[in-house]
Amino acid sequence: MNPPEVDRLAGSRAAVAARRARAEVKRQVSSGERSASEVLSSAMRDGSQPEATMRVSELIGSIPWLGPTRTAKIMQDLRISPSKRLGGLGVHQYQRLHEFLVRRQAPRRPMEPEGPRSRLVVLAGPTAVGKGTVAAHIREHHPEVLLSVSATTRPPRPGEIDGVNYYFLSDEQFDRMIEAGQFLEWATVHNAYRYGTPRQPIDAAITEGRSVLLEIDLQGARQVRAAFPEAMLVFLLPPTWEELVRRLVGRGTEDEDERERRLETARVELAAQEEFDAVVVNTNVEEAAREVVSLMSV
Ligand code: 5GP
């Protein structure tokens, strides 16, 4: 039997209102105003809230940088069916989802029992995300942190100073440092030049109890993770992919081939963010730098 016309109208109005309310929750999550785990908690607390009628896939999909493909993969890993709504989760599904959301938001390393201590922090992320600018801000405002100066075989750009921005080495000099075991890590970046982190200043700073920041590429970050499992790996993200492309092209210091190479590297690097302990979105340099420094005492 069909419902009377007036009930149908009221029903569709309620459905529109509920859809609007869910859209607002999604907007709050994607803008960072609300955390996804808090939305899940409120859905569990009160089944009459719009959060409870939201699909799990909608919630995960509104987290910055999780598109439909990765959302589907995450749902599969969590063993939650695509049509499931937050209010209809089983206890174990809820636990798995909650754990995933909390891990995604917070640094994955356990808290150290004894207060602040020296810490090795690696800042990586795609090309032109602004790692250098964030690192420079930290150098200027946090002199207590040692910002590692890398060695490279790339020639200096205008304005770059040997020993400040990089140690600019010849291929032979770089080879000699590798042979002498003087690098904590090194890698060929963008299939072009070699870059490496000199080990000695870092060992000295850690011994003195200073925190150290390395601004390196993904291959280097993986090597540091292997050598120093207690290092904190921070992934710097641009606010959007379009912004990243704008920054890459806008800098205008690379030719067409080099730019395409860097974009390809950026695509691969973006996919690696899951391996990192923390993700920082670089919308504002000062805030991003503050967040990175605050992770040193976690
Ligand atoms: P650029 O040539 O634009 O200064 O840097 C190119 C890339 O090399 C950046 O992604 C930067 O993070 C990376 N890089 C700089 N120093 C090091 C280093 O010591 N080791 C590794 N693995 N990468 C580095």
Side-chain angles (χ1 to χ4, degrees):
M1 207 177 79
N2 289 331
E5 182 65 13
V6 47
D7 285 1
R8 258 215 322 273
L9 266 179
S12 77
R13 263 194 220 113
V16 169
R19 246 196 328 272
R20 283 215 185 107
R22 286 200 296 273
E24 172 59 12
V25 175
K26 283 201 279 184
R27 188 200 60 75
Q28 290 168 336
V29 173
S30 62
S31 69
E33 262 167 63
R34 279 179 85 181
S35 72
S37 62
E38 193 264 308
V39 170
L40 174 63
S41 302
S42 74
M44 298 317 270
R45 257 197 322 271
D46 183 352
S48 67
Q49 291 300 308
E51 286 88 340
T53 60
M54 205 171 168
R55 285 186 205 279
V56 178
S57 56
E58 285 182 303
L59 177 65
I60 296 180
S62 36
I63 298 173
W65 291 96
L66 294 186
T69 315
R70 292 181 62 211
T71 298
K73 163 88 172 56
I74 291 163
M75 299 278 293
Q76 217 173 25
D77 291 347
L78 295 173
R79 282 172 279 144
I80 298 175
S81 74
S83 59
K84 200 67 158 182
R85 293 179 191 272
L86 294 181
L89 287 169
V91 177
H92 297 297
Q93 288 179 324
Y94 162 75
Q95 280 170 347
R96 286 196 296 272
L97 177 59
H98 181 255
E99 204 174 292
F100 164 79
L101 296 176
V102 169
R103 217 179 44 223
R104 166 97 200 163
Q105 284 152 208
R108 277 170 221 160
R109 307 268 120 190
M111 297 280 262
E112 293 297 324
E114 76 287 353
R117 38 158 232 137
S118 74
R119 176 118 231 197
L120 183 58
V121 174
V122 175
L123 185 63
T127 309
V129 68
K131 284 175 290 178
T133 321
V134 171
H137 193 278
I138 293 173
R139 175 168 33 211
E140 201 170 314
H141 295 88
H142 296 273
E144 73 281 10
V145 175
L146 175 79
L147 187 61
S148 163
V149 178
S150 298
T152 182
T153 57
R154 155 167 93 59
R157 294 193 186 118
E160 285 184 332
I161 300 167
D162 188 38
V164 175
N165 304 93
Y166 285 102
Y167 295 105
F168 295 100
L169 305 184
S170 65
D171 271 317
E172 294 70 32
Q173 287 171 316
F174 203 94
D175 285 340
R176 276 203 294 279
M177 282 191 71
I178 296 176
E179 277 159 30
Q182 287 173 351
F183 285 128
L184 180 67
E185 59 74 38
W186 71 269
T188 303
V189 180
H190 307 311
N191 299 321
Y193 299 107
R194 290 183 291 173
Y195 295 79
T197 305
R199 180 188 292 275
Q200 193 277 333
I202 292 172
D203 288 345
I206 299 275
T207 310
E208 283 169 25
R210 285 177 78 187
S211 286
V212 177
L213 182 68
L214 308 185
E215 187 252 284
I216 59 179
D217 87 322
L218 180 65
Q219 310 165 71
R222 288 187 177 127
Q223 292 178 46
V224 172
R225 158 115 315 153
F228 280 90
E230 72 279 19
M232 161 80 77
L233 265 54
V234 182
F235 197 87
L236 195 64
L237 277 177
T240 59
W241 171 256
E242 289 71 29
E243 174 62 18
L244 180 64
V245 174
R246 205 183 59 72
R247 288 182 196 180
L248 264 173
V249 174
R251 194 158 68 181
T253 46
E254 296 84 24
D255 62 25
E256 187 62 31
D257 280 358
E258 174 64 9
R259 220 157 49 211
E260 201 30 62
R261 251 204 313 268
R262 287 182 173 220
L263 267 179
E264 186 48 37
T265 308
R267 283 186 202 103
V268 173
E269 287 189 335
L270 274 175
Q273 56 183 287
E274 289 299 311
E275 297 168 35
F276 279 67
D277 297 310
V279 175
V280 170
V281 179
N282 184 18
T283 310
N284 170 298
V285 172
E286 205 179 320
E287 270 169 35
R290 197 178 320 120
E291 249 182 273
V292 172
V293 170
S294 75
L295 289 166
M296 290 175 177
S297 49
V298 169

